[in-house]
Amino acid sequence: MAKPLPVSPLARPLPDLATIAGVRLSAVAAGIRYQGRTDLMLAEFVPGTVAAGVYTKNACPGAPVLWCRTALTTPYARALLVNAGNANVFTGRAGIQACSDCADATAQLLDCPPQDVFLASTGVIGEKLPQDRIIGALPAAKAGLDDNGWADAARAIMTTDTFPKAARRDVKIAGTPVRIQGIAKGSGMVAPDMATMLAYVATDAKLPQNILQSLLSSGCSQSFNAITVDSDTSTSDMLMLFATGLADNPEIDDINDPALAEFTLALNDLLLELALMVVRDGEGATKLVRIGVTGAESNLSAHRIALCIANSPLVKTAIAGEDANWGRVVMAVGKSGEPADRDRLSVAIGGTWIAKEGGVVENYDEAPVVAHMKGQEIEIIVDLGLGDGEARVWTCDLTHGYIDINGSYRS
């Protein structure tokens, strides 16, 4: 971009970040696309670290996604290398070769097999990745590895993000203190269909890969897979969880073990916090929108209806204009293709029911609705009156800022 983007009015400051035993990170400037800022992050994990991941279902994934899917067939990770400014997508054999070259170079530096190196790229699609610049920056990245490198790493992976995103939780597994900490990037091309743009979480907990993967997939469904900015599923979406095992908690071999309950809740909460930061940083966003759907025929049906409302440009622009246009919500429900009955449908905004069972609530008080629409956090509830299905998703409003950013993304 020609000039820095203004920070989102919904931004959140970085929390008090700590260290994760067995994880060191660094951030360097490789000059991939941006000038005068870091654009390459390296994370090193202690030998024995276990990895789990979920990746985009976009049918045109980037070369790094293909690399990581293959690397995840073994349980271990020693390194994570992420660049910003170039997505390494739609680059054919050159993209695959770039991944191989970067993994080989990183493996040599850290003395590990290339398949233990995970890769990610984010940025412009269709341009050849300048892997020579990345490889040339690796010695400085290795030299800069630090236990406290989390904040710098979060900044290095930003593209159109206006603030770095991170979250932390401290909990216990069977009385043993463990920590979970993660970073994320994303603000546009956000309609995850597995995870998000890029998000990386690490813990010092000792957990086998099958449980780690189950925890991540389950937590993703209620967080990163419940957000949307613009309905576009990125070619580079990736969410990974790394467990170093250095907390040395008692062995866990069942995901339903009561000893894991506190950890599970904390992980789910951290994933949701990171996901909501992505929505808060939605390109041009000025409002965070929570959409709840109840009374659907199934939870899946409720989820699809909620996303249809969240992705509607008419709903999103009405919210941007602070107009409680509930008719647009009804329209979105009707076009979803899911079971709905006009004469059972009810809509509430900010806790005030505007429409009930197919009609406007007579003499409803519009004042609290008007006041609610002027706030930064908007809530829309839809009840279909058909069954017990329910879901919640989050989105943001749609302003001219989204056009400004995406109309000049490559310039």
PDB file of all heavy atoms in Angstrom, residues 98-138:
ATOM      1  N   ALA A  98       9.676 -23.328  -4.610  1.00  0.00           N
ATOM      2  CA  ALA A  98       9.992 -22.301  -3.610  1.00  0.00           C
ATOM      3  C   ALA A  98       9.796 -22.854  -2.203  1.00  0.00           C
ATOM      4  O   ALA A  98      10.615 -22.603  -1.301  1.00  0.00           O
ATOM      5  CB  ALA A  98       9.118 -21.068  -3.827  1.00  0.00           C
ATOM      6  N   CYS A  99       8.724 -23.600  -2.012  1.00  0.00           N
ATOM      7  CA  CYS A  99       8.481 -24.208  -0.703  1.00  0.00           C
ATOM      8  C   CYS A  99       9.595 -25.184  -0.345  1.00  0.00           C
ATOM      9  O   CYS A  99      10.114 -25.180   0.776  1.00  0.00           O
ATOM     10  CB  CYS A  99       7.138 -24.941  -0.688  1.00  0.00           C
ATOM     11  SG  CYS A  99       5.707 -23.861  -0.613  1.00  0.00           S
ATOM     12  N   SER A 100       9.945 -26.023  -1.298  1.00  0.00           N
ATOM     13  CA  SER A 100      11.010 -26.998  -1.060  1.00  0.00           C
ATOM     14  C   SER A 100      12.328 -26.315  -0.723  1.00  0.00           C
ATOM     15  O   SER A 100      13.034 -26.709   0.222  1.00  0.00           O
ATOM     16  CB  SER A 100      11.178 -27.890  -2.293  1.00  0.00           C
ATOM     17  OG  SER A 100      12.168 -28.862  -2.075  1.00  0.00           O
ATOM     18  N   ASP A 101      12.658 -25.259  -1.457  1.00  0.00           N
ATOM     19  CA  ASP A 101      13.906 -24.527  -1.212  1.00  0.00           C
ATOM     20  C   ASP A 101      13.910 -23.895   0.174  1.00  0.00           C
ATOM     21  O   ASP A 101      14.914 -23.971   0.907  1.00  0.00           O
ATOM     22  CB  ASP A 101      14.096 -23.436  -2.270  1.00  0.00           C
ATOM     23  CG  ASP A 101      14.370 -24.000  -3.659  1.00  0.00           C
ATOM     24  OD1 ASP A 101      14.667 -25.202  -3.771  1.00  0.00           O
ATOM     25  OD2 ASP A 101      14.278 -23.218  -4.628  1.00  0.00           O
ATOM     26  N   CYS A 102      12.789 -23.265   0.553  1.00  0.00           N
ATOM     27  CA  CYS A 102      12.710 -22.591   1.858  1.00  0.00           C
ATOM     28  C   CYS A 102      12.763 -23.605   3.003  1.00  0.00           C
ATOM     29  O   CYS A 102      13.411 -23.371   4.028  1.00  0.00           O
ATOM     30  CB  CYS A 102      11.434 -21.761   1.951  1.00  0.00           C
ATOM     31  SG  CYS A 102      11.438 -20.289   0.897  1.00  0.00           S
ATOM     32  N   ALA A 103      12.079 -24.732   2.824  1.00  0.00           N
ATOM     33  CA  ALA A 103      12.090 -25.761   3.865  1.00  0.00           C
ATOM     34  C   ALA A 103      13.484 -26.368   4.013  1.00  0.00           C
ATOM     35  O   ALA A 103      13.959 -26.593   5.141  1.00  0.00           O
ATOM     36  CB  ALA A 103      11.071 -26.842   3.535  1.00  0.00           C
ATOM     37  N   ASP A 104      14.134 -26.634   2.893  1.00  0.00           N
ATOM     38  CA  ASP A 104      15.487 -27.197   2.943  1.00  0.00           C
ATOM     39  C   ASP A 104      16.447 -26.255   3.646  1.00  0.00           C
ATOM     40  O   ASP A 104      17.262 -26.680   4.494  1.00  0.00           O
ATOM     41  CB  ASP A 104      15.994 -27.488   1.533  1.00  0.00           C
ATOM     42  CG  ASP A 104      15.335 -28.709   0.899  1.00  0.00           C
ATOM     43  OD1 ASP A 104      14.712 -29.493   1.639  1.00  0.00           O
ATOM     44  OD2 ASP A 104      15.426 -28.855  -0.336  1.00  0.00           O
ATOM     45  N   ALA A 105      16.385 -24.978   3.304  1.00  0.00           N
ATOM     46  CA  ALA A 105      17.292 -23.999   3.903  1.00  0.00           C
ATOM     47  C   ALA A 105      17.041 -23.859   5.402  1.00  0.00           C
ATOM     48  O   ALA A 105      17.982 -23.768   6.209  1.00  0.00           O
ATOM     49  CB  ALA A 105      17.131 -22.646   3.211  1.00  0.00           C
ATOM     50  N   THR A 106      15.767 -23.847   5.792  1.00  0.00           N
ATOM     51  CA  THR A 106      15.429 -23.741   7.211  1.00  0.00           C
ATOM     52  C   THR A 106      15.871 -24.993   7.957  1.00  0.00           C
ATOM     53  O   THR A 106      16.422 -24.915   9.079  1.00  0.00           O
ATOM     54  CB  THR A 106      13.908 -23.544   7.389  1.00  0.00           C
ATOM     55  OG1 THR A 106      13.494 -22.412   6.636  1.00  0.00           O
ATOM     56  CG2 THR A 106      13.553 -23.349   8.850  1.00  0.00           C
ATOM     57  N   ALA A 107      15.662 -26.143   7.356  1.00  0.00           N
ATOM     58  CA  ALA A 107      16.057 -27.406   7.985  1.00  0.00           C
ATOM     59  C   ALA A 107      17.560 -27.481   8.196  1.00  0.00           C
ATOM     60  O   ALA A 107      18.034 -27.984   9.230  1.00  0.00           O
ATOM     61  CB  ALA A 107      15.582 -28.573   7.113  1.00  0.00           C
ATOM     62  N   GLN A 108      18.305 -26.973   7.216  1.00  0.00           N
ATOM     63  CA  GLN A 108      19.765 -26.968   7.363  1.00  0.00           C
ATOM     64  C   GLN A 108      20.194 -26.105   8.537  1.00  0.00           C
ATOM     65  O   GLN A 108      21.056 -26.480   9.336  1.00  0.00           O
ATOM     66  CB  GLN A 108      20.415 -26.452   6.080  1.00  0.00           C
ATOM     67  CG  GLN A 108      20.711 -27.541   5.062  1.00  0.00           C
ATOM     68  CD  GLN A 108      21.681 -27.033   3.995  1.00  0.00           C
ATOM     69  OE1 GLN A 108      21.561 -25.907   3.509  1.00  0.00           O
ATOM     70  NE2 GLN A 108      22.637 -27.866   3.626  1.00  0.00           N
ATOM     71  N   LEU A 109      19.584 -24.933   8.659  1.00  0.00           N
ATOM     72  CA  LEU A 109      19.935 -24.014   9.740  1.00  0.00           C
ATOM     73  C   LEU A 109      19.614 -24.591  11.108  1.00  0.00           C
ATOM     74  O   LEU A 109      20.357 -24.394  12.068  1.00  0.00           O
ATOM     75  CB  LEU A 109      19.193 -22.680   9.560  1.00  0.00           C
ATOM     76  CG  LEU A 109      19.833 -21.617   8.677  1.00  0.00           C
ATOM     77  CD1 LEU A 109      18.937 -20.379   8.629  1.00  0.00           C
ATOM     78  CD2 LEU A 109      21.221 -21.234   9.184  1.00  0.00           C
ATOM     79  N   LEU A 110      18.494 -25.294  11.206  1.00  0.00           N
ATOM     80  CA  LEU A 110      18.027 -25.785  12.509  1.00  0.00           C
ATOM     81  C   LEU A 110      18.323 -27.261  12.712  1.00  0.00           C
ATOM     82  O   LEU A 110      17.919 -27.830  13.735  1.00  0.00           O
ATOM     83  CB  LEU A 110      16.528 -25.517  12.650  1.00  0.00           C
ATOM     84  CG  LEU A 110      16.098 -24.045  12.556  1.00  0.00           C
ATOM     85  CD1 LEU A 110      14.604 -23.910  12.769  1.00  0.00           C
ATOM     86  CD2 LEU A 110      16.860 -23.187  13.556  1.00  0.00           C
ATOM     87  N   ASP A 111      18.995 -27.880  11.742  1.00  0.00           N
ATOM     88  CA  ASP A 111      19.410 -29.278  11.862  1.00  0.00           C
ATOM     89  C   ASP A 111      18.217 -30.198  12.130  1.00  0.00           C
ATOM     90  O   ASP A 111      18.128 -30.870  13.161  1.00  0.00           O
ATOM     91  CB  ASP A 111      20.455 -29.428  12.979  1.00  0.00           C
ATOM     92  CG  ASP A 111      21.114 -30.812  12.951  1.00  0.00           C
ATOM     93  OD1 ASP A 111      21.111 -31.438  11.875  1.00  0.00           O
ATOM     94  OD2 ASP A 111      21.603 -31.255  14.009  1.00  0.00           O
ATOM     95  N   CYS A 112      17.286 -30.179  11.180  1.00  0.00           N
ATOM     96  CA  CYS A 112      16.094 -31.025  11.312  1.00  0.00           C
ATOM     97  C   CYS A 112      15.647 -31.477   9.923  1.00  0.00           C
ATOM     98  O   CYS A 112      16.092 -30.913   8.911  1.00  0.00           O
ATOM     99  CB  CYS A 112      14.970 -30.270  12.015  1.00  0.00           C
ATOM    100  SG  CYS A 112      14.273 -28.906  11.055  1.00  0.00           S
ATOM    101  N   PRO A 113      14.774 -32.457   9.807  1.00  0.00           N
ATOM    102  CA  PRO A 113      14.276 -32.866   8.488  1.00  0.00           C
ATOM    103  C   PRO A 113      13.391 -31.779   7.881  1.00  0.00           C
ATOM    104  O   PRO A 113      12.663 -31.090   8.605  1.00  0.00           O
ATOM    105  CB  PRO A 113      13.438 -34.119   8.802  1.00  0.00           C
ATOM    106  CG  PRO A 113      13.850 -34.556  10.166  1.00  0.00           C
ATOM    107  CD  PRO A 113      14.264 -33.313  10.893  1.00  0.00           C
ATOM    108  N   PRO A 114      13.419 -31.612   6.562  1.00  0.00           N
ATOM    109  CA  PRO A 114      12.568 -30.596   5.922  1.00  0.00           C
ATOM    110  C   PRO A 114      11.086 -30.783   6.214  1.00  0.00           C
ATOM    111  O   PRO A 114      10.336 -29.806   6.284  1.00  0.00           O
ATOM    112  CB  PRO A 114      12.871 -30.778   4.427  1.00  0.00           C
ATOM    113  CG  PRO A 114      14.225 -31.387   4.374  1.00  0.00           C
ATOM    114  CD  PRO A 114      14.309 -32.272   5.584  1.00  0.00           C
ATOM    115  N   GLN A 115      10.636 -32.037   6.391  1.00  0.00           N
ATOM    116  CA  GLN A 115       9.211 -32.268   6.656  1.00  0.00           C
ATOM    117  C   GLN A 115       8.776 -31.796   8.031  1.00  0.00           C
ATOM    118  O   GLN A 115       7.581 -31.755   8.331  1.00  0.00           O
ATOM    119  CB  GLN A 115       8.844 -33.747   6.470  1.00  0.00           C
ATOM    120  CG  GLN A 115       9.526 -34.696   7.425  1.00  0.00           C
ATOM    121  CD  GLN A 115      10.784 -35.309   6.825  1.00  0.00           C
ATOM    122  OE1 GLN A 115      11.434 -34.703   5.981  1.00  0.00           O
ATOM    123  NE2 GLN A 115      11.105 -36.522   7.256  1.00  0.00           N
ATOM    124  N   ASP A 116       9.742 -31.439   8.875  1.00  0.00           N
ATOM    125  CA  ASP A 116       9.407 -30.876  10.188  1.00  0.00           C
ATOM    126  C   ASP A 116       9.332 -29.352  10.149  1.00  0.00           C
ATOM    127  O   ASP A 116       9.162 -28.703  11.183  1.00  0.00           O
ATOM    128  CB  ASP A 116      10.434 -31.305  11.241  1.00  0.00           C
ATOM    129  CG  ASP A 116      10.302 -32.783  11.605  1.00  0.00           C
ATOM    130  OD1 ASP A 116       9.361 -33.428  11.109  1.00  0.00           O
ATOM    131  OD2 ASP A 116      11.143 -33.284  12.373  1.00  0.00           O
ATOM    132  N   VAL A 117       9.459 -28.779   8.950  1.00  0.00           N
ATOM    133  CA  VAL A 117       9.359 -27.327   8.754  1.00  0.00           C
ATOM    134  C   VAL A 117       8.001 -27.021   8.121  1.00  0.00           C
ATOM    135  O   VAL A 117       7.672 -27.552   7.051  1.00  0.00           O
ATOM    136  CB  VAL A 117      10.482 -26.807   7.838  1.00  0.00           C
ATOM    137  CG1 VAL A 117      10.313 -25.310   7.592  1.00  0.00           C
ATOM    138  CG2 VAL A 117      11.850 -27.109   8.442  1.00  0.00           C
ATOM    139  N   PHE A 118       7.220 -26.176   8.771  1.00  0.00           N
ATOM    140  CA  PHE A 118       5.923 -25.766   8.227  1.00  0.00           C
ATOM    141  C   PHE A 118       6.060 -24.370   7.627  1.00  0.00           C
ATOM    142  O   PHE A 118       6.797 -23.524   8.156  1.00  0.00           O
ATOM    143  CB  PHE A 118       4.852 -25.808   9.317  1.00  0.00           C
ATOM    144  CG  PHE A 118       4.469 -27.207   9.698  1.00  0.00           C
ATOM    145  CD1 PHE A 118       5.220 -27.922  10.624  1.00  0.00           C
ATOM    146  CD2 PHE A 118       3.382 -27.828   9.097  1.00  0.00           C
ATOM    147  CE1 PHE A 118       4.891 -29.231  10.955  1.00  0.00           C
ATOM    148  CE2 PHE A 118       3.044 -29.131   9.416  1.00  0.00           C
ATOM    149  CZ  PHE A 118       3.793 -29.838  10.352  1.00  0.00           C
ATOM    150  N   LEU A 119       5.356 -24.145   6.523  1.00  0.00           N
ATOM    151  CA  LEU A 119       5.501 -22.913   5.753  1.00  0.00           C
ATOM    152  C   LEU A 119       4.154 -22.241   5.548  1.00  0.00           C
ATOM    153  O   LEU A 119       3.121 -22.911   5.450  1.00  0.00           O
ATOM    154  CB  LEU A 119       6.105 -23.215   4.381  1.00  0.00           C
ATOM    155  CG  LEU A 119       7.434 -23.964   4.345  1.00  0.00           C
ATOM    156  CD1 LEU A 119       7.742 -24.406   2.918  1.00  0.00           C
ATOM    157  CD2 LEU A 119       8.564 -23.088   4.886  1.00  0.00           C
ATOM    158  N   ALA A 120       4.171 -20.921   5.461  1.00  0.00           N
ATOM    159  CA  ALA A 120       2.969 -20.175   5.111  1.00  0.00           C
ATOM    160  C   ALA A 120       3.367 -18.890   4.415  1.00  0.00           C
ATOM    161  O   ALA A 120       4.419 -18.310   4.699  1.00  0.00           O
ATOM    162  CB  ALA A 120       2.134 -19.868   6.346  1.00  0.00           C
ATOM    163  N   SER A 121       2.518 -18.458   3.499  1.00  0.00           N
ATOM    164  CA  SER A 121       2.729 -17.202   2.787  1.00  0.00           C
ATOM    165  C   SER A 121       1.401 -16.481   2.687  1.00  0.00           C
ATOM    166  O   SER A 121       0.356 -17.103   2.509  1.00  0.00           O
ATOM    167  CB  SER A 121       3.267 -17.465   1.367  1.00  0.00           C
ATOM    168  OG  SER A 121       4.510 -18.135   1.398  1.00  0.00           O
ATOM    169  N   THR A 122       1.432 -15.162   2.780  1.00  0.00           N
ATOM    170  CA  THR A 122       0.204 -14.371   2.680  1.00  0.00           C
ATOM    171  C   THR A 122       0.503 -13.085   1.926  1.00  0.00           C
ATOM    172  O   THR A 122       1.563 -12.481   2.100  1.00  0.00           O
ATOM    173  CB  THR A 122      -0.372 -14.060   4.084  1.00  0.00           C
ATOM    174  OG1 THR A 122      -1.554 -13.275   3.941  1.00  0.00           O
ATOM    175  CG2 THR A 122       0.621 -13.325   4.962  1.00  0.00           C
ATOM    176  N   GLY A 123      -0.433 -12.697   1.073  1.00  0.00           N
ATOM    177  CA  GLY A 123      -0.215 -11.488   0.290  1.00  0.00           C
ATOM    178  C   GLY A 123      -0.830 -11.618  -1.094  1.00  0.00           C
ATOM    179  O   GLY A 123      -1.874 -12.242  -1.270  1.00  0.00           O
ATOM    180  N   VAL A 124      -0.152 -11.065  -2.085  1.00  0.00           N
ATOM    181  CA  VAL A 124      -0.670 -11.019  -3.447  1.00  0.00           C
ATOM    182  C   VAL A 124      -0.637 -12.402  -4.088  1.00  0.00           C
ATOM    183  O   VAL A 124       0.323 -13.158  -3.931  1.00  0.00           O
ATOM    184  CB  VAL A 124       0.149 -10.025  -4.295  1.00  0.00           C
ATOM    185  CG1 VAL A 124      -0.273 -10.075  -5.759  1.00  0.00           C
ATOM    186  CG2 VAL A 124      -0.030  -8.611  -3.751  1.00  0.00           C
ATOM    187  N   ILE A 125      -1.705 -12.737  -4.797  1.00  0.00           N
ATOM    188  CA  ILE A 125      -1.820 -14.009  -5.509  1.00  0.00           C
ATOM    189  C   ILE A 125      -1.273 -13.884  -6.928  1.00  0.00           C
ATOM    190  O   ILE A 125      -1.462 -12.856  -7.580  1.00  0.00           O
ATOM    191  CB  ILE A 125      -3.302 -14.455  -5.553  1.00  0.00           C
ATOM    192  CG1 ILE A 125      -3.789 -14.824  -4.146  1.00  0.00           C
ATOM    193  CG2 ILE A 125      -3.524 -15.617  -6.517  1.00  0.00           C
ATOM    194  CD1 ILE A 125      -5.278 -15.085  -4.069  1.00  0.00           C
ATOM    195  N   GLY A 126      -0.600 -14.934  -7.404  1.00  0.00           N
ATOM    196  CA  GLY A 126      -0.197 -15.005  -8.802  1.00  0.00           C
ATOM    197  C   GLY A 126       1.176 -14.459  -9.116  1.00  0.00           C
ATOM    198  O   GLY A 126       1.560 -14.418 -10.285  1.00  0.00           O
ATOM    199  N   GLU A 127       1.919 -14.069  -8.111  1.00  0.00           N
ATOM    200  CA  GLU A 127       3.275 -13.577  -8.331  1.00  0.00           C
ATOM    201  C   GLU A 127       4.282 -14.573  -7.759  1.00  0.00           C
ATOM    202  O   GLU A 127       4.082 -15.104  -6.662  1.00  0.00           O
ATOM    203  CB  GLU A 127       3.466 -12.202  -7.677  1.00  0.00           C
ATOM    204  CG  GLU A 127       2.619 -11.109  -8.307  1.00  0.00           C
ATOM    205  CD  GLU A 127       2.874  -9.734  -7.692  1.00  0.00           C
ATOM    206  OE1 GLU A 127       3.744  -9.639  -6.792  1.00  0.00           O
ATOM    207  OE2 GLU A 127       2.222  -8.772  -8.112  1.00  0.00           O
ATOM    208  N   LYS A 128       5.344 -14.836  -8.486  1.00  0.00           N
ATOM    209  CA  LYS A 128       6.359 -15.798  -8.057  1.00  0.00           C
ATOM    210  C   LYS A 128       6.993 -15.356  -6.741  1.00  0.00           C
ATOM    211  O   LYS A 128       7.349 -14.193  -6.575  1.00  0.00           O
ATOM    212  CB  LYS A 128       7.425 -15.945  -9.139  1.00  0.00           C
ATOM    213  CG  LYS A 128       8.464 -17.018  -8.860  1.00  0.00           C
ATOM    214  CD  LYS A 128       9.459 -17.123  -9.998  1.00  0.00           C
ATOM    215  CE  LYS A 128      10.503 -18.202  -9.716  1.00  0.00           C
ATOM    216  NZ  LYS A 128      11.321 -17.910  -8.534  1.00  0.00           N
ATOM    217  N   LEU A 129       7.096 -16.298  -5.830  1.00  0.00           N
ATOM    218  CA  LEU A 129       7.695 -15.992  -4.532  1.00  0.00           C
ATOM    219  C   LEU A 129       9.203 -15.791  -4.683  1.00  0.00           C
ATOM    220  O   LEU A 129       9.896 -16.657  -5.234  1.00  0.00           O
ATOM    221  CB  LEU A 129       7.436 -17.132  -3.550  1.00  0.00           C
ATOM    222  CG  LEU A 129       7.929 -16.909  -2.116  1.00  0.00           C
ATOM    223  CD1 LEU A 129       7.047 -15.882  -1.413  1.00  0.00           C
ATOM    224  CD2 LEU A 129       7.932 -18.219  -1.343  1.00  0.00           C
ATOM    225  N   PRO A 130       9.744 -14.657  -4.212  1.00  0.00           N
ATOM    226  CA  PRO A 130      11.194 -14.446  -4.284  1.00  0.00           C
ATOM    227  C   PRO A 130      11.909 -15.198  -3.163  1.00  0.00           C
ATOM    228  O   PRO A 130      12.363 -14.610  -2.180  1.00  0.00           O
ATOM    229  CB  PRO A 130      11.330 -12.925  -4.144  1.00  0.00           C
ATOM    230  CG  PRO A 130      10.161 -12.529  -3.295  1.00  0.00           C
ATOM    231  CD  PRO A 130       9.045 -13.481  -3.656  1.00  0.00           C
ATOM    232  N   GLN A 131      12.001 -16.527  -3.325  1.00  0.00           N
ATOM    233  CA  GLN A 131      12.545 -17.330  -2.220  1.00  0.00           C
ATOM    234  C   GLN A 131      13.997 -17.012  -1.902  1.00  0.00           C
ATOM    235  O   GLN A 131      14.456 -17.240  -0.772  1.00  0.00           O
ATOM    236  CB  GLN A 131      12.384 -18.829  -2.491  1.00  0.00           C
ATOM    237  CG  GLN A 131      13.197 -19.384  -3.659  1.00  0.00           C
ATOM    238  CD  GLN A 131      12.342 -19.559  -4.884  1.00  0.00           C
ATOM    239  OE1 GLN A 131      11.524 -18.686  -5.193  1.00  0.00           O
ATOM    240  NE2 GLN A 131      12.503 -20.676  -5.595  1.00  0.00           N
ATOM    241  N   ASP A 132      14.727 -16.483  -2.880  1.00  0.00           N
ATOM    242  CA  ASP A 132      16.128 -16.123  -2.596  1.00  0.00           C
ATOM    243  C   ASP A 132      16.210 -15.061  -1.503  1.00  0.00           C
ATOM    244  O   ASP A 132      17.131 -15.088  -0.668  1.00  0.00           O
ATOM    245  CB  ASP A 132      16.817 -15.621  -3.865  1.00  0.00           C
ATOM    246  CG  ASP A 132      17.040 -16.741  -4.884  1.00  0.00           C
ATOM    247  OD1 ASP A 132      16.883 -17.917  -4.499  1.00  0.00           O
ATOM    248  OD2 ASP A 132      17.356 -16.429  -6.043  1.00  0.00           O
ATOM    249  N   ARG A 133      15.257 -14.126  -1.493  1.00  0.00           N
ATOM    250  CA  ARG A 133      15.256 -13.093  -0.454  1.00  0.00           C
ATOM    251  C   ARG A 133      14.937 -13.716   0.906  1.00  0.00           C
ATOM    252  O   ARG A 133      15.504 -13.323   1.927  1.00  0.00           O
ATOM    253  CB  ARG A 133      14.232 -12.008  -0.775  1.00  0.00           C
ATOM    254  CG  ARG A 133      14.532 -11.245  -2.055  1.00  0.00           C
ATOM    255  CD  ARG A 133      13.476 -10.176  -2.315  1.00  0.00           C
ATOM    256  NE  ARG A 133      13.558  -9.649  -3.670  1.00  0.00           N
ATOM    257  CZ  ARG A 133      12.697  -8.795  -4.200  1.00  0.00           C
ATOM    258  NH1 ARG A 133      11.673  -8.368  -3.472  1.00  0.00           N
ATOM    259  NH2 ARG A 133      12.849  -8.373  -5.438  1.00  0.00           N
ATOM    260  N   ILE A 134      14.009 -14.663   0.893  1.00  0.00           N
ATOM    261  CA  ILE A 134      13.648 -15.333   2.146  1.00  0.00           C
ATOM    262  C   ILE A 134      14.834 -16.131   2.678  1.00  0.00           C
ATOM    263  O   ILE A 134      15.201 -16.025   3.853  1.00  0.00           O
ATOM    264  CB  ILE A 134      12.425 -16.241   1.926  1.00  0.00           C
ATOM    265  CG1 ILE A 134      11.197 -15.382   1.607  1.00  0.00           C
ATOM    266  CG2 ILE A 134      12.176 -17.122   3.143  1.00  0.00           C
ATOM    267  CD1 ILE A 134       9.964 -16.184   1.223  1.00  0.00           C
ATOM    268  N   ILE A 135      15.430 -16.925   1.802  1.00  0.00           N
ATOM    269  CA  ILE A 135      16.564 -17.757   2.215  1.00  0.00           C
ATOM    270  C   ILE A 135      17.734 -16.883   2.671  1.00  0.00           C
ATOM    271  O   ILE A 135      18.424 -17.198   3.649  1.00  0.00           O
ATOM    272  CB  ILE A 135      16.973 -18.697   1.066  1.00  0.00           C
ATOM    273  CG1 ILE A 135      15.848 -19.710   0.814  1.00  0.00           C
ATOM    274  CG2 ILE A 135      18.281 -19.400   1.368  1.00  0.00           C
ATOM    275  CD1 ILE A 135      16.013 -20.512  -0.453  1.00  0.00           C
ATOM    276  N   GLY A 136      17.925 -15.752   1.976  1.00  0.00           N
ATOM    277  CA  GLY A 136      19.005 -14.841   2.368  1.00  0.00           C
ATOM    278  C   GLY A 136      18.791 -14.209   3.726  1.00  0.00           C
ATOM    279  O   GLY A 136      19.759 -13.817   4.401  1.00  0.00           O
ATOM    280  N   ALA A 137      17.528 -14.110   4.147  1.00  0.00           N
ATOM    281  CA  ALA A 137      17.222 -13.496   5.443  1.00  0.00           C
ATOM    282  C   ALA A 137      17.208 -14.507   6.584  1.00  0.00           C
ATOM    283  O   ALA A 137      17.121 -14.115   7.757  1.00  0.00           O
ATOM    284  CB  ALA A 137      15.865 -12.790   5.365  1.00  0.00           C
ATOM    285  N   LEU A 138      17.315 -15.795   6.270  1.00  0.00           N
ATOM    286  CA  LEU A 138      17.200 -16.821   7.300  1.00  0.00           C
ATOM    287  C   LEU A 138      18.299 -16.767   8.369  1.00  0.00           C
ATOM    288  O   LEU A 138      18.008 -16.958   9.561  1.00  0.00           O
ATOM    289  CB  LEU A 138      17.166 -18.210   6.667  1.00  0.00           C
ATOM    290  CG  LEU A 138      15.817 -18.628   6.059  1.00  0.00           C
ATOM    291  CD1 LEU A 138      15.935 -19.983   5.383  1.00  0.00           C
ATOM    292  CD2 LEU A 138      14.747 -18.667   7.140  1.00  0.00           C
TER     293      LEU A 138
END
